[in-house]
Amino acid sequence: MKKQPEITEKTRQKFIEVFCELYSQKPIEKISVQEIANKSGYNRSTFYQYFTDIYELVDSVENELLNDIKKELANKELSMHTVQDALHCLDKKEHLLVLNALLGDYGSPRFLKRLKKEITLDQLELNVLQNHSVTPYLIKFYLSTSLSLFRLWIQRQKDLSSEEFSKLVENLYSRGITPYFKE
């Protein structure tokens, strides 16, 4: 008897949700298949019908999120001029649990590297010196700072609206942090 696709996907999603909840709370090395299966309400053998191990599960989660970003960017006019515009693709309710896990305290440094590669420089209209010795430093600063701020925003459960967050980052780049100091 074949399983119904919607039930199969629901089971798979349950494993992903439980994994992401656990990964938000502890390192991947401390998460067991047994724990994921128990908290999902299934047994270990069911887990192995979907994933060979936890690392395949995390690869699957990362790949799905990065594919969503690619699709979102492909559907937009590539008039991206800030990393925040590119990160706006991730600003969806359904991504929050996964982002909390991947960008959280125990998250994947590899995912951050992959995310930086997705936000390709040709999509960004950075008004920086071209072919200058400091150019790679400026680009690295811009990408790293933007991703760090985005990560903090996700970890803080999006305590600012998307518009407030984007405006804050834009102001930090254009005016620095001085306007935010007490006088």
Side-chain angles (χ1 to χ4, degrees):
M1 182 171 101
K2 284 193 170 189
K3 292 184 180 179
Q4 296 174 347
E6 57 273 3
I7 293 173
T8 301
E9 184 56 28
K10 185 178 174 187
T11 304
R12 185 179 176 284
Q13 280 307 119
K14 184 66 176 173
F15 285 133
I16 289 171
E17 287 171 19
V18 168
F19 167 75
C20 288
E21 288 170 10
L22 292 169
Y23 197 27
S24 297
Q25 301 164 9
K26 58 185 170 180
I28 197 167
E29 301 81 27
K30 302 252 185 199
I31 301 170
S32 69
V33 170
Q34 185 67 54
E35 184 178 21
I36 294 170
N38 288 346
K39 289 187 182 249
S40 298
Y42 298 98
N43 59 41
R44 282 175 39 152
S45 63
T46 304
F47 176 91
Y48 289 119
Q49 291 175 9
Y50 295 88
F51 306 102
T52 56
D53 59 20
I54 291 174
Y55 295 98
E56 183 183 321
L57 188 155
V58 78
D59 282 346
S60 175
V61 168
E62 287 181 9
N63 290 337
E64 285 177 23
L65 186 58
L66 291 170
N67 284 336
D68 280 356
I69 294 169
K70 285 179 192 176
K71 285 179 195 168
E72 191 77 24
L73 290 175
N75 290 337
K76 289 184 176 228
E77 296 281 327
L78 289 183
S79 62
M80 302 277 177
H81 61 278
T82 67
V83 175
Q84 291 75 28
D85 291 335
L87 292 175
H88 192 71
C89 296
L90 295 173
D91 186 19
K92 293 182 178 176
K93 195 178 235 180
E94 65 266 20
H95 294 313
L96 189 57
L97 183 65
V98 171
L99 288 169
N100 272 328
L102 296 177
L103 299 176
D105 291 337
Y106 305 105
S108 169
R110 185 187 79 163
F111 176 71
L112 273 175
K113 287 179 187 173
R114 292 179 72 192
L115 185 57
K116 286 178 186 178
K117 285 182 184 174
E118 283 307 315
I119 304 171
T120 57
L121 298 179
D122 60 337
Q123 291 173 319
L124 304 174
E125 296 173 11
L126 297 179
N127 193 15
V128 296
L129 301 169
Q130 296 300 315
N131 302 320
H132 191 278
S133 61
V134 299
T135 303
Y137 295 97
L138 298 172
I139 293 169
K140 179 77 170 183
F141 171 80
Y142 188 75
L143 283 172
S144 296
T145 304
S146 296
L147 286 171
S148 291
L149 290 171
F150 183 77
R151 184 174 178 232
L152 177 62
W153 183 55
I154 293 296
Q155 289 172 338
R156 293 179 55 96
Q157 302 294 304
K158 297 184 177 180
D159 58 341
L160 301 174
S161 71
S162 297
E163 295 77 25
E164 289 171 318
F165 174 74
S166 294
K167 190 69 173 165
L168 172 66
V169 175
E170 184 182 310
N171 285 338
L172 288 172
Y173 281 128
S174 62
R175 299 181 9 221
I177 63 171
T178 308
Y180 298 94
F181 288 154
K182 291 182 182 178
E183 291 188 33

